[in-house]
Amino acid sequence: MPPPQRLPCRLHHKAKRLSQHHHPLHHDIQGEKTVQTAYTLDVLRKQIDTLAADGSTIGLVPTMGALHDGHLTLVRRAREMCDHVAVSIFVNPTQFGPGEDLDAYPRQLEADAAMLEAEGTAVLWAPNVAAMYPDGFVTNISVTGVSEGLCGADRPGHFDGVATVVCKLFNQVRPTHAFFGEKDFQQLAVIRAMARDLDLTHPHARSIIGVPTVREADGLAMSSRNRYLSDKDRGAAVTLPRAMKAAITRIEAGDDVAATLMAFQDELIGAGFTSVDYATLADSASLAPLAALEGRTARLIVAARIGGTRLIDNMPVS
Ligand code: PAF
């Protein structure tokens, strides 16, 4: 992996050991840095216990790394609301289906660590797969209802993988607050349901905070997967948020929902998208599809593919 350009020297030497695939399991990175990296649960627990000993609040930002401004917005929000921030970076294999981008998923732990340090993160929890799923791991958390339509229909097992790893992360870090982007709107609904049903919201993850989607200047929702887009596809991808806004304006003005969504899909295909997995007007709480707005709080939720990359987005409709 090439060394990142702007990494401070002291961090750079240590960061060489930070590759998620190759890092030594029994090392942690201490010293003068703000962020302390833990690779084992024992080290993590000691760090968290020390930080929480005086009753301080701990905000957890779970991520799969390849951090961008969307993630850093979550970290900043966590810093505003909590005494200390812990960020987890773990590319969770159990939420990727066969043929999905698990191997290609960007991994850049040393650059991520530098960004987190600049944001004043206290703890970076970076387990490897063996630490997260030791031999003999047999537990699966499956949330019914909100996990079943939309991405759940296209990606069987995906939300089981998400719920299981997030439950583990809550138990490992024992945060008082946890922060998730609204860009993965269904994921947020699944995690809220799981935390409520498994009583994780007390004493851990007392509050689950959804943070509005951070967008590029042209409106495309930030995503670690945007880097897969060719220049041409990146140019066309902006049609997604633009056409969503236009469709929402029509729905809010009373146009027929089915006809509007059909025209929306045609617009995406016309702009160069290869397919639209779904484009749904959904109830904001239950995520049940709505044929008409009828005064409800709703969300337009979309997944569409361009040049082999699957993009998701959602926006409020009222
Ligand atoms: O949103 C993500 O990055 C992941 O789904 C999460 C919540 C970190 C679980 O692996």
Side-chain angles (χ1 to χ4, degrees):
M1 200 182 295
Q5 308 255 299
R6 293 184 307 278
L7 211 55
C9 198
R10 69 191 160 76
L11 182 56
H12 179 230
H13 290 300
K14 292 173 179 176
K16 277 190 166 174
R17 292 186 274 124
L18 276 168
S19 151
Q20 202 160 11
H21 283 325
H22 307 296
H23 67 66
L25 259 181
H26 299 291
H27 264 111
D28 63 329
I29 292 181
Q30 308 266 354
E32 71 274 47
K33 287 200 298 121
T34 324
V35 65
Q36 298 195 346
T37 302
Y39 300 119
T40 67
L41 194 49
D42 283 351
V43 171
L44 174 77
R45 285 258 162 88
K46 281 190 195 115
Q47 291 171 345
I48 297 290
D49 287 351
T50 305
L51 293 173
D54 62 355
S56 288
T57 52
I58 309 277
L60 170 66
V61 180
T63 81
M64 297 204 299
L67 303 181
H68 50 66
D69 226 40
H71 299 110
L72 300 183
T73 300
L74 300 180
V75 173
R76 286 171 201 143
R77 186 77 203 281
R79 278 204 74 194
E80 279 162 23
M81 291 186 65
C82 302
D83 298 318
H84 304 289
V85 178
V87 175
S88 62
I89 294 186
F90 179 64
V91 181
N92 175 34
T94 66
Q95 68 187 78
F96 289 77
E100 291 188 355
D101 56 347
L102 173 61
D103 292 337
Y105 200 85
R107 289 162 171 90
Q108 50 171 56
L109 197 53
E110 63 267 47
D112 289 345
M115 283 188 249
L116 293 175
E117 172 154 290
E119 294 296 336
T121 304
V123 172
L124 168 54
W125 169 221
N128 68 8
V129 173
M132 189 60 100
Y133 299 115
D135 278 349
F137 188 92
V138 290
T139 300
N140 182 55
I141 296 177
S142 192
V143 177
T144 57
V146 285
S147 76
E148 285 167 16
L150 307 169
C151 285
D154 289 336
R155 304 180 71 190
H158 168 70
F159 286 120
D160 287 12
V162 170
T164 305
V165 82
V166 171
C167 183
K168 281 178 68 74
L169 290 167
F170 283 179
N171 285 323
Q172 291 163 344
V173 178
R174 293 174 298 196
T176 52
H177 301 69
F179 297 79
F180 296 88
E182 283 186 351
K183 175 170 166 283
D184 294 291
F185 200 76
Q186 189 176 15
Q187 168 173 283
L188 183 56
V190 168
I191 290 165
R192 283 191 201 281
M194 186 260 306
R196 180 200 63 212
D197 292 353
L198 298 183
D199 305 315
L200 296 177
T201 50
H202 186 81
H204 311 323
R206 217 184 277 156
S207 303
I208 293 176
I209 292 124
V211 177
T213 303
V214 180
R215 297 179 180 278
E216 303 287 356
D218 65 3
L220 183 67
M222 286 193 188
S223 164
S224 304
R225 291 185 167 106
N226 288 353
R227 67 186 71 191
Y228 299 155
L229 296 169
S230 67
D231 288 349
K232 179 167 167 278
D233 290 338
R234 174 64 187 82
V238 71
T239 305
L240 178 59
R242 286 188 187 153
M244 284 177 74
K245 276 193 192 145
I248 289 169
T249 303
R250 288 202 291 274
I251 291 169
E252 288 178 341
D255 281 9
D256 180 73
V257 170
T260 304
L261 294 181
M262 195 62 77
F264 165 77
Q265 297 190 39
D266 289 346
E267 193 175 342
L268 290 189
I269 300 298
F273 279 76
T274 40
S275 60
V276 180
D277 287 358
Y278 59 81
T280 305
L281 182 71
D283 181 273
S284 291
S286 68
L287 303 189
L290 299 175
L293 198 51
E294 287 167 355
R296 274 172 289 217
T297 314
R299 210 92 193 170
L300 176 58
I301 309 184
V302 181
R305 293 173 195 264
I306 183 162
T309 302
R310 187 174 186 273
L311 300 179
I312 60 171
D313 202 346
N314 69 87
M315 292 180 189
V317 187
S318 48

